[in-house]
């Protein structure tokens, strides 16, 4: 028997979650959230993005956040980067891993990153060398891999070719992202099976949004064909500011509950996550989508109704 987790969950609420929030979250509050997530047992946390502060004002304090968090041994603290300038800033902030993002769909890439595929790949080429020279890890994310809100379904060969390019340019890790929740389990099984022929399960992450209620089903479909690493956001926060109708990621505590109920070890403290999730509305000023934090765990039983306790 080993205590190694069966599934690795990377917490992305501080990045994907907060990037779309309208109200400013103070740097100290972001740091407190990330420190609490470290304490809950995550081995990977996406902390922030080194992007244009005009594009994503909510994360304009990325360097300060990286400078102030308490880092746990064995936890990888990740920074999203769109270009070499962001990579330089992430390295200066001592991020452990840089997560480069480009969309499978050129239309979404231009809306999100202001770049064509060729321009993004030129940035990645410079980022790959710089990141490896600095001794950092590099992950490449394929956004809109399961569908683009402007172009629709993306050809599987296009996604696979992008994965190959990322690997050639130095990305050890690969993420397939369903940016606006367009994936379905059948499609997930097919694409993930293909990508697992190129990328080992220890290096492949699936990033699902629950936009159409299929988030956890897609996680389970990917798991069924061998995927072992998943992004999720506390409370089900999240969404791309440059994709119409985007909503939250798969909810971390709902996923951890599913794993706990079905005997998959995550190494995470579910009670601590539920407590943390219940603090989110005060932090961001509105209700969140997560369900287990509202309903409680399945065996958080309720008091038996009084009349049933009367004798006779
Ligand atoms: N970090 C901080 N600022 C950056 C930057 C970076 N990595 N890269 C560029 N900038 C600045 C530029 O200096 C410029 O500043 P200015 O407006 O004060 O002159 C501004 O951002 C725009 O840069 P420019 O090179 O003209 O390109 P652009 O307007 O097409 O923006 C990106 C390109 C990539 C910087 C921008 O689209 C971006 O940050 N996108 C990220 C979107 C995102 O995070 N989406 C959600 C996650 S997938
Ligand atoms: Zn996302």
């Amino acid at each position: 028997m080993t205590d190694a987790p069966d599934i690795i969950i990377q917490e992305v609420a501080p990045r994907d979650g907060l990037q779309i929030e309208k109200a400013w979250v103070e740097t100290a509050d972001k740091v407190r959230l990330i420190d609490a997530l470290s304490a809950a047992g995550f081995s990977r946390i996406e902390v922030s993005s080194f992007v244009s502060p005009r594009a994503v004002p909510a994360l304009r304090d990325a360097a300060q956040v990286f400078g102030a968090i308490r880092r746990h041994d064995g936890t990888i603290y990740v920074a999203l980067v769109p270009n070499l300038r962001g990579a330089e800033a992430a390295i200066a902030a001592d991020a452990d891993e840089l997560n480069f993002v480009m969309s499978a769909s050129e239309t979404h890439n231009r809306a999100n990153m202001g770049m064509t595929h060729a321009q993004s790949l030129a940035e990645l080429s410079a980022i790959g060398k710089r990141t490896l020279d600095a001794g950092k890890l590099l992950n490449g994310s394929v956004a809109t891999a399961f569908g683009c809100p402007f172009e629709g379904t993306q050809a599987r060969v296009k996604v696979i070719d992008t994965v190959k390019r990322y690997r050639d340019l130095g990305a050890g890790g690969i993420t397939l992202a369903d940016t606006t929740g367009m994936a379905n389990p059948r499609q997930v099984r097919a694409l993930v099976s293909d990508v697992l022929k190129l990328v080992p399960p220890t290096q492949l992450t699936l990033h699902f949004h629950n936009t159409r209620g299929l988030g956890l089903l897609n996680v389970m479909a990917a798991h069924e064909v061998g995927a072992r690493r998943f992004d999720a956001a506390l409370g089900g926060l999240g969404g791309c500011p440059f994709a119409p109708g985007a909503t939250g990621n798969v909810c971390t505590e709902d996923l951890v509950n599913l794993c706990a109920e079905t005997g998959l070890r995550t190494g995470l403290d579910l009670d601590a996550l539920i407590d943390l999730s219940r603090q989110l509305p005060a932090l961001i000023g509105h209700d969140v989508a997560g369900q287990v934090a509202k309903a409680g765990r399945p065996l958080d039983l309720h008091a038996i109704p009084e009349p049933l306790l009367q004798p006779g």
Side-chain angles (χ1 to χ4, degrees):
M1 255 312 260
T2 150
D3 284 339
D6 299 308
I7 280 194
I8 303 289
I9 299 177
Q10 169 165 262
E11 175 57 51
V12 300
R15 194 282 296 172
D16 203 325
L18 296 185
Q19 72 182 5
I20 200 171
E21 291 299 329
K22 299 235 160 24
W24 171 247
V25 175
E26 295 296 339
T27 305
D29 290 331
K30 289 176 177 138
V31 170
R32 252 192 302 279
L33 172 65
I34 294 161
D35 286 350
L37 292 166
S38 295
F42 288 98
S43 56
R44 307 177 61 84
I45 299 174
E46 195 166 42
V47 169
S48 195
S49 299
F50 289 90
V51 298
S52 159
R54 231 186 271 275
V56 186
L59 301 183
R60 64 182 183 268
D61 56 356
Q64 292 93 306
V65 173
F66 264 98
I69 53 175
R70 217 169 323 126
R71 302 187 191 213
H72 280 220
D73 282 350
T75 300
I76 294 171
Y77 296 91
V78 181
L80 184 149
V81 301
N83 55 15
L84 182 60
R85 174 164 165 195
E88 294 289 0
I91 290 167
D94 203 20
D96 300 310
E97 179 172 294
L98 278 59
N99 180 24
F100 168 82
V101 178
M102 180 183 85
S103 304
S105 139
E106 178 138 319
T107 310
H108 184 261
N109 202 55
R110 288 175 57 208
N112 192 33
M113 298 300 184
M115 288 184 271
T116 61
H117 281 153
Q119 288 169 320
S120 277
L121 288 169
E123 294 292 330
L124 177 60
S125 168
I127 291 171
K129 189 174 172 342
R130 181 70 186 92
T131 306
L132 302 182
D133 284 350
K136 304 294 189 184
L137 300 166
L138 181 61
N139 188 82
S141 285
V142 189
T144 67
F146 298 89
C148 163
F150 308 112
E151 290 183 5
T153 309
Q154 297 296 297
R156 208 183 306 172
V157 62
K158 186 155 86 166
V159 177
I160 303 269
D161 284 348
T162 306
V163 169
K164 287 182 182 156
R165 286 299 291 279
Y166 282 4
R167 299 279 278 182
D168 289 346
L169 292 173
I174 296 291
T175 297
L176 301 179
D178 184 23
T179 308
T180 57
M182 293 171 70
N184 66 71
R186 184 169 62 175
Q187 176 198 25
V188 167
R189 277 190 288 269
L191 183 58
V192 172
S193 301
D194 279 357
V195 173
L196 280 171
K197 292 174 191 146
L198 302 171
V199 184
T202 48
Q203 292 179 311
L204 179 66
T205 302
L206 277 301
H207 176 106
F208 293 117
H209 280 260
N210 197 36
T211 319
R212 293 174 176 80
L214 297 183
L216 290 180
L217 276 177
N218 288 330
V219 169
M220 287 297 119
H223 182 259
E224 222 175 274
V225 296
R228 292 295 177 264
R229 236 159 82 168
F230 299 92
D231 282 352
L234 193 73
L237 301 186
C240 175
F242 303 97
T247 59
N249 289 86
V250 163
C251 169
T252 303
E253 65 274 17
D254 290 359
L255 174 55
V256 174
N257 175 66
L258 169 61
C259 292
E261 294 298 312
T262 54
L264 293 171
R265 286 167 305 197
T266 60
L268 297 165
D269 180 344
L270 179 53
D271 292 321
L273 293 175
I274 290 174
D275 279 351
L276 259 185
S277 178
R278 287 176 177 161
Q279 296 168 34
L280 286 175
L283 185 70
I284 57 177
H286 59 83
D287 190 19
V288 300
Q291 291 177 284
V292 170
K294 291 180 187 132
R297 298 178 71 166
L299 289 179
D300 289 345
L301 302 182
H302 297 266
I304 296 171
E306 194 60 32
L308 301 184
L309 294 173
Q310 302 304 323

